[in-house]
Amino acid sequence: MTFHTVGIDLVIRGDHLAQTYDDGRPNGRAIRFRHNQPSLAAFVQAAVMGLRADDHIQAIMEPTGMSWFPVAHHLADAGVTVARVKGKRVKALRRYLSEHAKTGRAVNPDRR
């Protein structure tokens, strides 16, 4: 079983950006998408591509205005667990990852 996470950076106007992670490691290139139906459908298809029946997938996004709603709706319809996080938590996570990314301790805190 693999634990898949989709981190989504939403914007009010323009392209949204999503990155998939398998067991905490980036998987593939970032996915750009918009709010129109074909783009959202292609994004959801790319996000769930290659999943097996026993895999778990969740999407995490900051609730930027109401931009999150159609994205969350499409993901939930595809069986993806959706979590919204506050902007302050996203900022704290980015700061933590940038401080620990060079040492590799962000992925494996037991590593010395």
Side-chain angles (χ1 to χ4, degrees):
M1 177 169 88
T2 304
F3 189 79
H4 299 276
T5 303
V6 181
I8 304 171
D9 186 13
L10 297 171
V11 296
I12 300 294
R13 293 184 192 99
D15 291 344
H16 305 298
L17 191 62
Q19 177 66 54
T20 58
Y21 299 86
D22 291 341
D23 293 326
R25 292 177 175 37
N27 178 16
R29 301 180 77 173
I31 305 165
R32 291 187 178 277
F33 64 100
R34 292 188 156 262
H35 263 103
N36 59 50
Q37 179 64 29
S39 185
L40 279 170
F43 160 64
V44 172
Q45 183 179 7
V48 300
M49 183 174 30
L51 293 179
R52 297 180 303 243
D54 62 340
D55 289 346
H56 177 74
I57 183 169
Q58 77 172 7
I60 300 172
M61 67 183 84
E62 183 181 353
T64 305
M66 285 302 290
S67 295
W68 67 272
F69 189 76
V71 177
H73 180 69
H74 276 78
L75 289 167
D77 285 350
V80 177
T81 303
V82 178
R84 294 180 304 148
V85 296
K86 292 182 179 181
K88 289 182 181 182
R89 292 195 182 264
V90 172
K91 186 176 179 181
L93 177 61
R94 284 183 184 143
R95 184 175 44 248
Y96 173 82
L97 291 174
S98 69
E99 290 171 358
H100 294 89
K102 291 182 182 176
T103 63
R105 294 186 66 190
V107 175
N108 186 358
D110 295 331
R111 187 173 159 187
R112 304 214 187 275

